Amino acid sequence: MKFFLVKRRMVTAAACVLAAVVMFTAVNYPAVVASATDRQLPIYCVERDQKMISISFDAAWGNEDTQQLIDILGKYNVKATFFVVGEWVDKYPESVKALHDAGHEVMNHSNHHDHLSQLGRDEIIADCNACNDKIEAVTGVRPTLIRPPYGEYDDNVITSIRAAGMEPIQWDVDSLDWKDLSAAEITKRVTGKVQAGSIVLFHNAALHTPEALPTILETLLGQGYTFVPISQLILPGEYNVDYTIDHTGRQCSAQ
């Protein structure tokens, strides 16, 4: 009798373990699959055969070097994309107009530089539109691209941005100029990491960016790279119809 009781207990215990494994798998495995297949990503870079890249600047705080950046870019006939905060537009409308008049793209960097992941869908869309309204009032052109503040996003942020008719943009080459790296360090980071289809991140009002920029442009132009604004780098069309975004954030043609 004792043998059968022990065996019964062993069978019961094994059944419990098996049930726990099945329950764990049922609860967790679909979640893993969903995150791998359905996760919403912005564009970090673009699949390009040509040596075509974009440089971008985030403008949220200071304004001391904006005209200097315009002058340097103009010297090399390079057009860039500037992501500006709505409050920055309020403070420096003349600089926003100067960027536009110089042929640079002026795009959205949120209205107040809030953490968009802490906002609901309607709040995110309202924030996008508020910044777009300010930029359009100065430049006459409504932005189609946005860079979420702090580079932060989640599925709700990305789907809300796309629901607002905009495309979220990140970067695959970070200059780290906001850390006050030396011009030589910034130059080495950027020129060493760029590849066809790259999007490079700079900031206005960064300490050594104006010093580093000429060497970066001369080096990359000498290597045969062409600079275009981000709207000309990214592939046109509808997400998951005309193009896809792989797990690294690279935008690829769906054809």
Side-chain angles (χ1 to χ4, degrees), residues 154-209:
D154 55 20
D155 284 358
N156 180 57
V157 170
I158 302 305
T159 57
S160 298
I161 287 171
R162 290 196 170 114
M166 304 186 73
E167 191 62 48
I169 303 294
Q170 292 285 90
W171 60 87
D172 66 322
V173 180
D174 190 348
S175 69
L176 293 183
D177 57 354
W178 59 274
K179 288 189 172 183
D180 293 342
L181 298 183
S182 69
E185 290 174 304
I186 294 171
T187 300
K188 182 178 179 180
R189 281 190 59 84
V190 173
T191 58
K193 293 177 180 294
V194 159
Q195 58 185 330
S198 280
I199 297 173
V200 185
L201 171 65
F202 293 103
H203 296 78
N204 82 316
L207 191 59
H208 297 295
T209 299

Side-chain angles (χ1 to χ4, degrees), residues 2 11 32 80 85 115 124 132 143 154 169 204 206 214 231 243:
K2 181 181 286 188
V11 171
V32 172
V85 171
H115 294 271
I124 293 171
N132 283 347
D154 55 20
I169 303 294
N204 82 316
S231 68
Y243 67 86

Side-chain angles (χ1 to χ4, degrees), residues 98-161:
L99 288 168
H100 173 72
D101 290 347
H104 302 294
E105 287 187 332
V106 182
M107 294 293 179
N108 192 317
H109 194 34
S110 83
N111 197 36
H112 302 293
H113 210 268
D114 293 328
H115 294 271
L116 297 186
S117 59
Q118 298 177 6
L119 304 180
R121 178 186 177 93
D122 291 343
E123 293 175 304
I124 293 171
I125 293 174
D127 185 276
C128 289
N129 285 328
C131 183
N132 283 347
D133 289 344
K134 293 177 180 180
I135 294 171
E136 186 177 21
V138 175
T139 67
V141 179
R142 194 165 188 82
T144 56
L145 309 177
I146 179 172
R147 175 168 286 157
Y150 311 102
E152 294 179 358
Y153 63 88
D154 55 20
D155 284 358
N156 180 57
V157 170
I158 302 305
T159 57
S160 298
I161 287 171

Side-chain angles (χ1 to χ4, degrees), residues 57-73:
F57 297 83
D58 288 358
W61 316 120
N63 188 41
E64 47 269 40
D65 65 356
T66 304
Q67 187 57 53
Q68 187 179 5
L69 294 174
I70 292 173
D71 293 341
I72 294 170
L73 293 167

Side-chain angles (χ1 to χ4, degrees), residues 9 54 72 132 248:
R9 288 171 183 167
S54 293
I72 294 170
N132 283 347
T248 69

